[in-house]
Amino acid sequence: MGTLIDPGKLTDGLYGLGWSAVKRLPEGVAAQLGRQLADAAWRRRGKGIERLEANLARVVPDASPQRLAALSRAGMRSYLRYWMESFRLPAWSPERIKAGFTPQDVHYLEEGLASGRGVVLALPHMGNYDLAGVWVTTKLGVPFTTVAERLKPESLYDRFVAYREGLGMEVLPHTGGAAFGTLARRLRAGGLVCLVADRDLSDSGIPVKFFGETAKMPAGPAMLALHTGALLLPVTLWYDDSPYLRGRVHPEIPVPENGTRAEKAAGMTQALADAFASGIADHPEDWHMLQRLWLADLEPRAAAAGRDRA
């Protein structure tokens, strides 16, 4: 009888191989490898590709099937570019990091930090937020705090934490609301917090209208801004035909003048969703959402689960 392989250990091993091997490749070779892996995954037409195309159909509702297929192929190439770059980031020189990201309107971030109020940067799953983060720590010389969802196996989570801490980030585990107090303290001290914030299917997620339909996004960015007085700045990222990551820091999302704290948080989260939507609509191929997001996509599965229980 053959020896059974633990899927968790296999996944951890594959990521470890990526971090150890890909970072040693010449940049052009790594980029070509990423494109080849992306095209192979796209041709297999797995569930992730089908979900990506279904999500893109909401972003580009008038797209033909051929256009959606082209977008999903470009999307997979963008997604694998993110991974190839992330594997190689620890080997990049400070000069390469500084040149690797060219954001627009970064003055919103610089002015917010100079004000001493603290800043919450909120991003969707676009482009390469790891590269944008290490650019902040390297180019601007500003440390920041973020959270990471606990992964299985634990060794894989430890790899991600060590990787991001090695890039100058403080990483907190995303375990319920335990990280909120630490994030709030960092902001009250005038610090920077960066959060990926375009998907939250938990009970605490806030419903928003996103490309015309209801989705849920995390309450954390808005609640942190409300609790601490920090600025809430959306950021969107994308690639173009150059070797560099592009991005935009959007203007501050203001706190509504009226309403309860919950109502204010809901209004701010909707404004955040609108900012994300504007960036995603401009660069849909760089939005790496290969999972269910809109509540309408979850309802049939929930109904089926209810029938199974009955």
Side-chain angles (χ1 to χ4, degrees):
M1 181 180 293
T3 302
L4 294 177
I5 299 175
D6 183 337
K9 290 183 179 179
L10 178 60
T11 300
D12 182 35
L14 290 172
Y15 278 109
L17 179 63
W19 265 300
S20 64
V22 173
K23 69 180 180 182
R24 295 188 174 91
L25 296 175
E27 189 160 343
V29 174
Q32 180 61 27
L33 175 62
R35 289 191 292 270
Q36 291 173 349
L37 293 173
D39 289 349
W42 179 78
R43 286 192 294 268
R44 283 198 298 270
R45 304 293 303 169
K47 291 183 178 180
I49 305 300
E50 293 178 354
R51 174 50 46 197
L52 178 61
E53 286 188 7
N55 290 339
L56 288 170
R58 287 183 166 92
V59 175
V60 191
D62 58 347
S64 65
Q66 294 79 13
R67 169 66 172 151
L68 284 176
L71 278 175
S72 69
R73 183 182 186 186
M76 287 305 296
R77 286 189 167 195
S78 175
Y79 185 47
L80 265 294
R81 178 173 173 178
Y82 157 73
W83 279 111
M84 292 296 112
E85 286 181 348
S86 294
F87 287 143
R88 289 178 48 76
L89 270 179
W92 281 17
S93 68
E95 292 72 24
R96 177 67 179 90
I97 290 168
K98 292 175 184 178
F101 180 41
T102 54
Q104 302 169 10
D105 298 325
V106 73
H107 65 90
Y108 289 122
L109 171 58
E110 294 171 322
E111 292 163 2
L113 292 169
S115 74
R117 290 173 53 191
V119 175
V120 180
L121 292 180
L123 308 90
H125 287 81
M126 282 188 86
N128 187 339
Y129 37 80
D130 286 333
L131 173 53
V134 75
W135 182 90
V136 168
T137 63
T138 304
K139 175 77 172 181
L140 301 185
V142 177
F144 67 87
T145 305
T146 187
V147 298
E149 183 178 355
R150 285 203 173 276
L151 303 171
K152 293 182 179 180
E154 190 74 15
S155 56
L156 179 58
Y157 171 77
D158 292 340
R159 283 187 189 274
F160 271 100
V161 170
Y163 157 70
R164 289 186 168 133
E165 288 180 342
L167 297 175
M169 311 175 193
E170 179 187 24
V171 182
L172 306 176
H174 189 281
T175 50
F180 190 91
T182 302
L183 296 174
R185 287 193 295 275
R186 300 292 183 268
L187 292 168
R188 291 192 180 102
L192 175 63
V193 166
C194 300
L195 300 171
V196 180
D198 57 345
R199 184 176 185 267
D200 183 356
L201 303 179
S202 71
D203 291 339
S204 61
I206 293 179
V208 295
K209 286 295 182 183
F210 194 53
F211 291 100
E213 293 189 49
T214 302
K216 277 188 173 183
M217 293 189 180
M223 293 301 293
L224 283 167
L226 284 169
H227 274 277
T228 67
L231 285 80
L232 175 56
L233 301 178
V235 177
T236 51
L237 307 170
W238 66 91
Y239 293 115
D240 57 17
D241 294 330
S242 76
Y244 309 114
L245 177 69
R246 309 298 188 187
R248 179 190 174 199
V249 182
H250 296 250
E252 176 188 1
I253 292 178
V255 176
E257 293 183 1
N258 301 312
T260 64
R261 178 164 288 185
E263 289 168 342
K264 290 178 179 179
M268 295 171 74
T269 304
Q270 180 62 62
L272 191 64
D274 294 341
F276 289 170
S278 69
I280 292 167
D282 288 340
H283 306 281
E285 67 277 9
D286 292 309
W287 185 44
H288 308 150
M289 186 54 68
L290 281 72
Q291 299 169 295
R292 296 173 187 265
L293 175 70
W294 282 274
L295 299 191
D297 292 334
L298 302 172
E299 290 170 357
R301 186 169 59 177
R307 288 194 298 271
D308 291 343
R309 287 192 298 269

